[in-house]
Amino acid sequence: MGNMHRMILQKLNIAVMARVAIALFLATVLAQHVAVAAEKKVLKIAFRAAETGFDPQRIEDRYSVGICENFFDSLLTYDWLALPVKLVPQIVDKVPEGEEGGTRFTFHLKPGIFFADDPAFNGKRRELVAKDMEYAIKRFRDPVNRSPYSWLFEDKIVGFDEFVDAAKKNDKYDYDKPIEGIQVLDKYTISFKLRAPDYNFLYFFAMPIVVPVAREVIETYAADTMAHPVGTGPYILKEWVRRSKIVLERNPGYRGHVLNTQYANPDDPWDNDAVKALTGKRLPLIDRIEISPIEEEQPRFLAFMNREHDYIEETPFAFISQLLPLGKLAPAMLKRQVRVQRTEEPEITWDAFNMDDPIVGGYKPENVAFRRALILAHDRSQEVNIIRRGQASATMSPIPPGVVGYDPNFKAEDQEYNLPRAKALLDMFGYVDKDGDGWRDMPDGRPIILQFKYRANEQEGRQIAELWVKCMSAIGIRMTTVAVQFADLLKDRKVGKFQMSNLAWIADYPDGQNFLQLLYGPNTNISNDARFKLPEYDRLYSAALKLPDGPERSKLYREMNRLIVAYAPWRLGVNRTFSQFINPWVLGYKKHPILYTAFKYLDIDVPAQQASLEQ
């Protein structure tokens, strides 16, 4: 019995020791897992406006487009460090040269590039092929999509307009029907034949919306393509709470890329930091990106100040003096080792008149005189110096500095503040107080009550609207204001549901055509929110498309600028200077003039990030 008792005890001890060993092993594995999880690189930032969705062929706001930049790969892109900006291949083997007199462009896709996994593919890996690009281009002109960028491919590709006209006539948009000017030559090759040379055509293929999409994905999620972006890019959509939270995670099937340092400027500290932080590393390095759309300026600013966000872009002008007193970093920012990058964006702002409106619209002399009087009465210097805290300059034309076609010598004198001239112009054309109530009326006696729509939850937008009310009151014109959520305001402007409204446009590509198209008549209901329709302007615009950059095209651009000033569909606004503040643990940051986000070029020093959060 004694031996048996000892044997039983030994077995029990062995069992206990085994359990202890297993427990220790599991604890070690768990600890390692927690350590790995702790090292996961998470970037947290805010957008200054809410997104609308992530179907690349159906969006236009810069925040949605910026997100899509990470889900999808365009055929071409811009080198991250090169200035002036330089087109480079992304998922094709090279940047094509125009053939047949600049009317044919052929792209060769790299084989072995795959879409992110998705149930639409039924468990199979789905390779990117040329037909995906053909399908995407056709989607721009499908009436069902109402693409705000359909203008890119109108009156451009041989047979495309005829294809669309036939589809409208037959009430069927047939994606399988071939188009003469879009030829899929083999599995990886697609060729485009243009009606006439277009010297900006290649730029289109570096836009984050001109990207290949998988037809089976679009058809699977037809009812809600905005919520199901499936591309070949470095990130996937992990979570989306509309207008509240966007979470991106690294695409496990992404092929990876490395930073090209060939065009880095050795005298640029931002280039040097990026080269030092990223050279030789397989990108992307960030595992998870959490984006909070915060339209209210103070909460967005405080989230950065409280270290809840890793950097803040387009810092609200109201807080610049706190962070950059007299143009220098505040002591608190220096102590935190925060860096600042100030950039004059290739963009413009303007206040649009709805040219179809019975009061502010029209092309008759009295209509034009009325708009010009409103512009002359608007004191833009107050917007520059007070609302924007001096972080802007008055623009003289629709083409901003830093964009091909910008004319620094063009001066729009009729857009300069001149209150006596404004009053005289109104008096001359019969916009006077006819009923003795102290407010001006239309020449036919109808009362004038203007309405200015602006973006809700934005102090800057509210102040711009208030400035208009004040300036109009000074010339005896009543004006009311209406605050509208950003996404809803975009929709209202698209269908002409406004009288006056403030707008902005940042370059999709670095040529003046991208801005001049905003007033091209056929782009009404697409990108021409002012609904400006002037045959002479449209003729000049079409002629300019066929010319390369040079004196002849510059002459046409100048004539278009003169027509804009003369007919006054816009009150030209400002060129803004934005400040980006970056915490020291964010590595490789640089604001690109054209590309929207920096996510796939960033790294995070996790220990430094965690140490700061513990302070």
Side-chain angles (χ1 to χ4, degrees):
M1 291 293 293
N3 289 335
M4 184 176 290
H5 182 68
R6 281 194 295 272
M7 290 175 64
I8 292 171
L9 288 176
Q10 287 175 352
K11 289 181 179 180
L12 287 172
N13 288 336
I14 291 171
V16 170
M17 291 175 65
R19 289 193 183 112
V20 170
I22 291 172
L24 288 172
F25 173 76
L26 291 174
T28 301
V29 171
L30 180 61
Q32 290 174 344
H33 176 74
V34 170
V36 171
E39 289 294 318
K40 196 170 187 179
K41 296 178 179 180
V42 180
L43 178 76
K44 297 182 179 181
I45 63 166
F47 278 172
R48 65 195 291 257
E51 76 299 332
T52 54
F54 312 116
D55 181 337
Q57 279 88 54
R58 295 176 56 203
I59 57 175
E60 66 172 329
D61 66 282
R62 65 184 298 179
Y63 307 100
S64 299
V65 173
I67 295 295
C68 281
E69 195 173 64
N70 298 277
F71 299 145
F72 300 91
D73 285 318
S74 49
L75 302 190
L76 307 175
T77 187
Y78 295 93
D79 184 90
W80 186 245
L81 301 179
L83 286 177
V85 295
K86 181 178 179 60
L87 278 178
V88 293
Q90 181 159 246
I91 55 174
V92 294
D93 59 0
K94 63 180 180 179
V95 178
E97 296 181 0
E99 303 172 279
E100 300 176 16
T103 62
R104 182 172 293 281
F105 295 88
T106 302
F107 297 88
H108 302 281
L109 277 68
K110 298 175 184 177
I113 296 176
F114 292 88
F115 284 94
D117 292 339
D118 190 85
F121 301 135
N122 297 318
K124 299 177 182 178
R125 290 197 77 190
R126 171 65 155 78
E127 188 180 14
L128 172 70
V129 294
K131 287 193 73 66
D132 297 319
M133 192 72 246
E134 177 195 33
Y135 177 71
I137 298 300
K138 287 182 175 179
R139 291 193 74 225
F140 278 102
R141 301 291 303 276
D142 188 341
V144 171
N145 291 327
R146 299 178 61 85
S147 174
Y149 277 91
S150 63
W151 58 270
L152 288 173
F153 300 103
E154 292 179 351
D155 192 26
K156 191 86 57 182
I157 297 173
V158 172
F160 203 174
D161 290 345
E162 292 79 1
F163 170 88
V164 174
D165 291 341
K168 292 177 180 178
K169 183 178 180 180
N170 300 325
D171 199 25
K172 181 183 179 182
Y173 199 86
D174 186 357
Y175 281 93
D176 295 315
K177 185 177 180 180
I179 296 173
E180 182 182 351
I182 305 178
Q183 298 176 351
V184 176
L185 302 179
D186 59 41
K187 186 176 182 179
Y188 302 111
T189 306
I190 186 168
S191 184
F192 298 92
K193 175 65 175 177
L194 307 185
R195 294 178 181 273
D198 184 335
Y199 295 90
N200 288 318
F201 189 68
L202 282 179
Y203 284 134
F204 300 171
F205 293 90
M207 295 171 64
I209 58 168
V210 184
V211 293
V213 294
R215 182 171 180 174
E216 53 265 57
V217 170
I218 300 300
E219 292 178 349
T220 297
Y221 303 111
D224 193 14
T225 55
M226 289 291 200
H228 295 277
V230 181
T232 61
Y235 289 94
I236 59 174
L237 181 63
K238 184 65 176 180
E239 180 184 352
W240 182 29
V241 181
R242 295 171 191 258
R243 302 190 182 187
S244 178
K245 185 179 183 182
I246 309 165
V247 179
L248 282 59
E249 285 196 354
R250 187 155 51 166
N251 177 4
Y254 181 64
R255 62 198 178 278
H257 65 281
V258 295
L259 177 69
N260 178 27
T261 61
Q262 177 183 358
Y263 304 106
N265 180 356
D267 298 322
D268 186 334
W270 297 95
D271 280 18
N272 291 334
D273 288 349
V275 169
K276 180 180 178 181
L278 304 175
T279 298
K281 295 180 179 179
R282 201 72 179 166
L283 306 176
L285 298 167
I286 307 294
D287 297 294
R288 180 180 170 94
I289 301 161
E290 299 178 2
I291 302 163
S292 303
I294 304 176
E295 296 188 339
E296 297 86 352
E297 294 180 346
Q298 187 175 47
R300 184 161 57 91
F301 171 72
L302 292 176
F304 172 77
M305 295 300 290
N306 295 335
R307 296 181 172 87
E308 296 169 20
H309 292 154
D310 297 299
Y311 60 81
I312 181 171
E313 293 185 320
E314 301 177 344
T315 305
F317 297 114
F319 303 104
I320 289 296
S321 59
Q322 296 183 37
L323 300 179
L324 278 177
L326 301 178
K328 296 182 179 180
L329 273 170
M333 294 294 98
L334 288 171
K335 184 178 180 180
R336 281 175 49 175
Q337 297 182 312
V338 167
R339 295 167 295 154
V340 59
Q341 184 179 26
R342 303 187 71 216
T343 55
E344 185 176 57
E345 303 289 336
E347 59 143 36
I348 60 169
T349 71
W350 71 94
D351 302 299
F353 299 101
N354 182 347
M355 295 294 286
D356 289 342
D357 183 80
I359 295 179
V360 300
Y363 300 84
K364 296 178 180 179
E366 61 268 28
N367 304 138
V368 174
F370 183 65
R371 287 192 300 275
R372 292 175 74 167
L374 302 187
I375 290 169
L376 290 167
H378 179 252
D379 189 355
R380 186 168 50 179
S381 66
Q382 292 191 40
E383 178 181 341
V384 171
N385 297 320
I386 299 174
I387 298 174
R388 302 190 187 277
R389 306 299 200 275
Q391 306 296 300
S393 59
T395 186
M396 290 291 132
S397 82
I399 304 176
V403 170
V404 176
Y406 170 66
D407 183 354
N409 298 316
F410 186 85
K411 304 298 180 186
E413 295 180 357
D414 287 336
Q415 293 266 331
E416 296 289 1
Y417 176 63
N418 190 324
L419 193 60
R421 188 177 167 201
K423 291 179 178 179
L425 201 56
L426 291 170
D427 291 343
M428 182 184 302
F429 282 87
Y431 294 93
V432 296
D433 178 11
K434 295 181 180 296
D435 57 10
D437 65 353
W439 298 101
R440 292 180 184 267
D441 300 297
M442 297 287 286
D444 60 7
R446 287 176 295 152
I448 300 174
I449 302 179
L450 304 183
Q451 185 189 80
F452 191 96
K453 279 191 176 182
Y454 67 96
R455 194 165 85 187
N457 302 317
E458 184 190 57
Q459 180 177 334
E460 173 190 317
R462 176 179 55 79
Q463 291 175 329
I464 288 172
E466 290 173 349
L467 175 60
W468 268 103
V469 172
K470 174 184 173 183
C471 291
M472 294 302 95
S473 179
I475 55 172
I477 290 180
R478 287 173 289 189
M479 174 179 276
T480 62
T481 63
V482 178
V484 183
Q485 292 292 331
F486 180 60
D488 297 327
L489 185 57
L490 288 176
K491 295 176 184 176
D492 286 352
R493 293 197 299 237
K494 198 65 57 189
V495 298
K497 190 180 175 182
F498 79 101
Q499 191 175 52
M500 293 175 62
S501 183
N502 179 256
L503 299 91
W505 187 272
I506 188 168
D508 294 307
Y509 49 90
D511 190 276
Q513 184 232 350
N514 187 227
F515 293 85
L516 294 171
Q517 62 84 21
L518 295 167
L519 287 166
Y520 180 52
N523 286 355
T524 301
N525 294 325
I526 302 172
S527 58
N528 179 358
D529 289 353
R531 315 178 81 76
F532 183 59
K533 307 177 191 73
L534 189 69
E536 177 61 10
Y537 182 92
D538 295 345
R539 184 189 67 79
L540 293 169
Y541 176 85
S542 296
L545 290 179
K546 300 174 176 63
L547 297 173
D549 177 39
E552 189 177 355
R553 194 182 71 159
S554 295
K555 182 180 178 181
L556 298 183
Y557 279 7
R558 191 175 184 87
E559 287 303 311
M560 281 186 271
N561 288 339
R562 285 174 175 161
L563 289 173
I564 292 167
V565 173
Y567 282 86
W570 288 359
R571 195 291 182 256
L572 292 168
V574 300
N575 304 122
R576 296 177 289 188
T577 298
F578 283 113
S579 298
Q580 285 68 234
F581 293 88
I582 305 97
N583 279 311
W585 57 81
V586 178
L587 309 177
Y589 181 90
K590 181 179 180 178
K591 190 75 169 62
H592 192 275
I594 304 295
L595 298 174
Y596 292 83
T597 59
F599 303 152
K600 67 179 181 179
Y601 294 103
L602 296 180
D603 197 5
I604 287 181
D605 183 341
V606 176
Q609 184 187 47
Q610 293 176 341
S612 176
L613 296 176
E614 293 169 0
Q615 292 179 5

